[in-house]
Amino acid sequence: MLKLRPSSRISQKLSHVLGKQGFQVTTYARPDDLLITRGQNARLFDDLHKKEYIDFTAGIAVTALGHANPEVAKIMCDQAGKLIHSSNLYFNPECLELSEKIVEKTKEFGGQHDCAKVFLCNSGTEANEAALKFAKKHGINSSPTKQAILAFENSFHGRTMGALSVTSNPKYRAPFGDLVPGTEFLNVHDELTTLSSYISAKKDKVAGLIIEPVQGEGGVFPVPAEKLLGLRQICNDNNVVLIYDEIQCGMGRTGKLWAHSHLPPAAHPDIFTTAKALGNGFPIAGTLVNEKINNALQVGDHGTTYGGNPLGCAISNYVLDVIGEDKFLAEVTRKGELLSHRLKKLQQKFPAQITDVRGQGLIVGAEFTEAPKDVINEARNLGLLIITAGKSTVRFVPALTIPDEDLNSGLDIFEKAVEKVYG
């Protein structure tokens, strides 16, 4: 690991900054010996503790084009000198360009075939809130009783009250009491006939169904294509709006522009959501809909103060241009195969501890027989940042631009950490 040598003055200042952690609300448990001060592509630096890390987290699948991307920095600087915000009372050219680009690239790269419009907002949970509201509005237009939302066990859709209502984990839900009524959770492993019977029996009450094509926070579980195709047909049969949450698994993460780009048009959603990588770290998100959903909406049905601001849209226009290229996506697939191959070789060495390796592209999970906290901590000590998902999964979501050298070096460290804990 490269040892950094900041001046004593800088070290004193950073040490003082770290001491301010007591002023933060008690919602996170962070390591006390880590203060991220800067980054470069797939590496992060802690100038206080003089450490450098290979980063397999990418800000939780956010910095797809790497930390401190120079072109993103230039765009931010140039746009900030022109216009950052003007409100949604007026058009701005960056927002209009992004709106057209995200719809057209979606169709060009095999995503939602009837994609028509986008609502721009600021975060994944806001994008999902909009999706739920749009689905409910469509349902209520059909019948006042058609308001319920179906979601799936092992899901994660956000922390606001609506998004939390369709997030199944009791750890996130229980502390906040009653949530949005009319939400029920299904088991994604149930047979399609079982799911069809259940949804058909409730079709007069159900407005929408939301699912992640790859369940990210739940442990990196890709939902089988035949299941998504079947759910699409069930939703068609029962006038239920189908929503795909692509907050984490979209924007090139699986080797396609969208995770549902791997599916035939017959499995495409009515609504899908994106965020995280869309702004490479700048807060921006989108809820994309077909004409059926757009026709259910009226002026004033939804809104956002910051959504579609020129700065965020200028960045996202660049991000989409880079990721929305066949060569770029092919490289994600190739790197994903390298990652999965090496993890499966490690699984062969530790079959009693690593029970599964699964995922697509550069969203991969290694399932352990127990919570891998010790492996995570040892990896950090050796210079690698990784995170968990679900109860016992190590999640690998590095920058899509990670060089092979860093990918292999990070996997070397991960292997050493596993050997140290279990060897």
Side-chain angles (χ1 to χ4, degrees), residues 15 44 51 61 64 93 95 128 130 138 143 159 162 176 220 254 274 286 301 303 313 337 343 366 372 403-404 412 414:
S15 201
L44 287 170
K51 290 185 177 181
C95 176
N128 284 337
H138 179 272
S143 168
R159 304 274 195 159
F176 303 102
V220 191
T254 65
T274 177
D301 276 346
C313 291
E337 290 170 352
L343 289 174
D404 285 8
D412 290 342
F414 183 69

Side-chain angles (χ1 to χ4, degrees), residues 138 146 148 150 199 202-203 206-209 231-232 234-242 270 292:
H138 179 272
K146 204 169 174 66
L150 299 178
I199 294 171
K202 295 176 175 287
K203 66 180 181 180
V206 176
L209 180 149
L231 286 172
R232 171 72 276 181
I234 293 169
C235 288
N236 288 344
D237 294 342
N238 295 282
N239 190 24
V240 171
V241 172
L242 177 62
D270 298 300
K292 178 179 80 173

Side-chain angles (χ1 to χ4, degrees), residues 3-292:
K3 297 294 184 180
L4 307 176
R5 300 182 184 279
S7 69
S8 58
R9 180 179 59 82
I10 293 175
S11 293
Q12 280 186 339
K13 180 180 178 181
L14 292 174
S15 201
H16 178 66
V17 168
L18 189 58
K20 299 178 184 293
Q21 59 186 288
F23 290 95
Q24 292 221 306
V25 170
T26 309
T27 54
Y28 292 101
R30 301 182 176 104
D32 293 330
D33 60 346
L34 184 57
L35 181 69
I36 300 300
T37 51
R38 55 192 174 90
Q40 185 176 18
N41 200 1
R43 292 186 176 242
L44 287 170
F45 302 86
D46 178 347
D47 291 304
L48 174 61
H49 300 101
K50 305 177 184 179
K51 290 185 177 181
E52 176 181 348
Y53 298 91
I54 295 173
D55 178 22
F56 276 7
T57 75
I60 315 182
V62 169
T63 52
L65 302 186
H67 299 294
N69 181 287
E71 188 61 29
V72 170
K74 182 179 183 301
I75 291 167
M76 291 181 75
C77 181
D78 292 346
Q79 185 63 45
K82 292 193 298 183
L83 185 66
I84 293 177
H85 175 76
S86 60
S87 90
N88 277 306
L89 298 174
Y90 320 106
F91 291 123
N92 70 74
E94 292 78 19
C95 176
L96 293 177
E97 181 183 354
L98 178 60
S99 299
E100 179 186 33
K101 184 176 295 183
I102 196 168
V103 169
E104 293 305 316
K105 278 196 174 285
T106 290
K107 292 187 284 190
E108 178 187 353
F109 283 87
Q112 185 182 25
H113 65 94
D114 58 352
C115 187
K117 311 280 186 182
V118 60
F119 173 80
L120 294 171
C121 49
N122 313 288
S123 68
T125 193
E126 288 180 63
N128 284 337
E129 287 283 337
L132 297 173
K133 287 180 69 177
F134 295 171
K136 286 172 72 72
K137 181 68 187 300
H138 179 272
I140 290 169
N141 285 353
S142 300
S143 168
T145 64
K146 204 169 174 66
Q147 300 187 32
I149 300 291
L150 299 178
F152 285 86
E153 297 169 1
N154 206 47
S155 63
F156 182 89
H157 298 291
R159 304 274 195 159
T160 52
M161 295 302 279
L164 185 60
S165 296
V166 292
T167 294
S168 66
N169 194 329
K171 178 179 73 173
Y172 301 129
R173 297 167 56 87
F176 303 102
D178 295 335
L179 299 175
V180 177
T183 301
E184 297 183 50
F185 293 99
L186 310 177
N187 188 330
V188 75
H189 301 295
D190 281 348
E191 295 291 333
L192 284 169
T193 52
T194 301
L195 295 170
S196 179
S197 297
Y198 185 88
I199 294 171
S200 296
K202 295 176 175 287
K203 66 180 181 180
D204 293 335
K205 295 183 178 180
V206 176
L209 180 149
I210 185 168
I211 187 170
E212 302 158 272
V214 179
Q215 292 185 324
E217 300 293 329
V220 191
F221 289 96
V223 179
E226 59 271 17
K227 182 61 62 73
L228 294 171
L229 188 62
L231 286 172
R232 171 72 276 181
Q233 186 59 53
I234 293 169
C235 288
N236 288 344
D237 294 342
N238 295 282
N239 190 24
V240 171
V241 172
L242 177 62
I243 306 166
Y244 286 166
D245 176 346
E246 294 229 16
I247 305 302
Q248 184 168 169
C249 63
M251 285 298 293
R253 181 59 55 182
T254 65
K256 297 282 190 180
L257 184 58
W258 306 115
H260 74 268
S261 298
H262 293 276
L263 304 172
H268 288 180
D270 298 300
I271 304 174
F272 75 95
T273 56
T274 177
K276 286 189 180 287
L278 185 62
N280 203 60
F282 189 90
I284 185 169
T287 305
L288 289 102
V289 306
N290 57 22
E291 287 289 1
K292 178 179 80 173

Side-chain angles (χ1 to χ4, degrees), residues 55 77 114 123 127 243 277 279 299 369 376 390 411 415 419:
D55 178 22
C77 181
D114 58 352
S123 68
I243 306 166
V299 172
T369 53
I376 299 290
L411 288 165
E415 185 169 348
E419 289 173 345

